Amino acid sequence: MEQYLSRNISCENCKHAYSTFKIKSRYIRPLTHDSDFCSTYQSLETNPLLYYVSVCPYCGYAVSDEFNPKLTKEAHFAIQTKIQKHWNYKNYGQKRSVETAINSYKLGIYSGIIKKETPIVMAGLYLRLAWIYRTIEHSNTQEQRFLKLAVEQFELSYTLGDYEEKGMSEIKLLYLIGDLNCRLNLERQATRYFQMVIGHKHKEKEQRLVEKARDRWYEIRKSTKLKVSS
């Protein structure tokens, strides 16, 4: 149990204090990184994704660190009537299985929708849940489902500009939208976003991502030519 850190949280909805596990940073050692920034780890026990969402055991309100901590009166009332009213005490604050983690994400997504969290925050939840499904190799359908939801929110975030509040650069956002579209076999949309990265006015600042976008663009072109010739 030494890889776990217990964090104390005060629920903004019901005002109860509770504790929840996180993985200590020195135990987070990624082995590989996918093109959409998903990391793989030596074991599920040291995968920080499982603990990204914190769930209040008293009322069921679930949040990530990216959530705006403040609740409007309308959001507070909606959470009380749509979540807390139907909630039975359950503790998500201990060691989590993949199934428990998935449930915590779904609670976080539902809480975010009710609270009307920003698109960039919702996109992060959808994308990370897709990554968890990726660790379960037989769950490709669910992975695709949440990748689609993620890319929709990322595109909305690009339109609204809320990604800047979370410290994400425009180039990284455009690259990620392109990559997710590629994973969804939406090659035309992927090409469009990769081209936006390649031609971006600040491309010198993030040359690694620009090169990755160029490589993915060439892959799509090559694949398209092969399909046409066959």
Side-chain angles (χ1 to χ4, degrees):
M1 299 290 284
E2 67 180 37
Q3 67 262 38
Y4 300 107
L5 172 69
S6 184
R7 295 177 58 203
N8 295 319
I9 295 177
S10 178
C11 178
E12 190 64 28
N13 176 59
C14 70
K15 306 305 179 183
H16 277 94
Y18 66 95
S19 62
T20 188
F21 276 177
K22 298 287 182 183
I23 304 292
K24 293 178 181 177
S25 59
R26 69 174 179 270
Y27 289 95
I28 301 174
R29 298 169 185 166
L31 299 176
T32 61
H33 302 282
D34 293 343
S35 58
D36 62 351
F37 311 119
C38 175
S39 299
T40 55
Y41 300 86
Q42 192 166 7
S43 70
L44 281 173
E45 291 188 351
T46 56
N47 190 332
L49 283 177
L50 301 186
Y51 301 91
Y52 182 73
V53 176
S54 302
V55 182
C56 177
Y58 300 97
C59 70
Y61 179 52
V63 300
S64 75
D65 289 344
E66 303 298 320
F67 272 48
N68 183 332
K70 301 302 181 183
L71 289 177
T72 64
K73 289 183 179 180
E74 293 79 7
H76 191 200
F77 178 75
I79 291 164
Q80 288 180 321
T81 55
K82 295 181 179 181
I83 298 177
Q84 186 174 352
K85 182 179 178 181
H86 309 285
W87 181 259
N88 294 316
Y89 181 94
K90 186 171 183 179
N91 186 6
Y92 281 82
Q94 302 300 309
K95 182 178 176 181
R96 290 181 182 174
S97 64
V98 171
E99 182 181 3
T100 306
I102 287 172
N103 288 340
S104 74
Y105 273 87
K106 290 180 177 179
L107 286 166
I109 289 167
Y110 188 46
S111 296
I113 290 171
I114 291 173
K115 184 179 180 289
K116 297 181 180 178
E117 265 297 342
T118 57
I120 194 65
V121 171
M122 297 306 299
L125 286 170
Y126 290 130
L127 181 58
R128 286 171 174 84
L129 182 50
W131 289 348
I132 288 181
Y133 277 114
R134 192 177 300 170
T135 68
I136 313 169
E137 294 178 358
H138 61 272
S139 297
N140 183 262
T141 301
Q142 289 298 321
E143 178 189 343
Q144 293 282 298
R145 173 192 172 196
F146 287 103
L147 286 179
K148 184 175 184 296
L149 290 167
V151 79
E152 288 171 356
Q153 291 298 306
F154 278 128
E155 288 173 341
L156 183 57
S157 176
Y158 176 61
T159 301
L160 299 176
D162 67 359
Y163 61 91
E164 297 175 349
E165 300 169 9
K166 299 301 178 183
M168 179 179 282
S169 71
E170 185 173 300
I171 286 178
K172 184 174 182 179
L173 179 64
L174 292 171
Y175 168 81
L176 189 52
I177 294 173
D179 187 276
L180 297 184
N181 272 305
C182 192
R183 289 175 177 273
L184 293 166
N185 298 314
L186 301 172
E187 295 178 341
R188 182 177 297 178
Q189 291 93 317
T191 299
R192 173 172 164 249
Y193 281 100
F194 287 143
Q195 288 174 332
M196 291 170 72
V197 173
I198 295 166
H200 199 279
K201 61 182 179 180
H202 297 307
K203 60 184 178 183
E204 294 81 10
K205 295 181 179 180
E206 296 184 73
Q207 292 182 10
R208 185 180 64 86
L209 280 179
V210 174
E211 287 302 314
K212 285 169 70 74
R214 186 175 285 112
D215 289 343
R216 301 303 302 281
W217 182 68
Y218 279 126
E219 288 172 12
I220 293 172
R221 285 191 64 191
K222 184 178 179 180
S223 173
T224 303
K225 287 180 179 178
L226 288 172
K227 288 177 182 176
V228 172
S229 63
S230 62

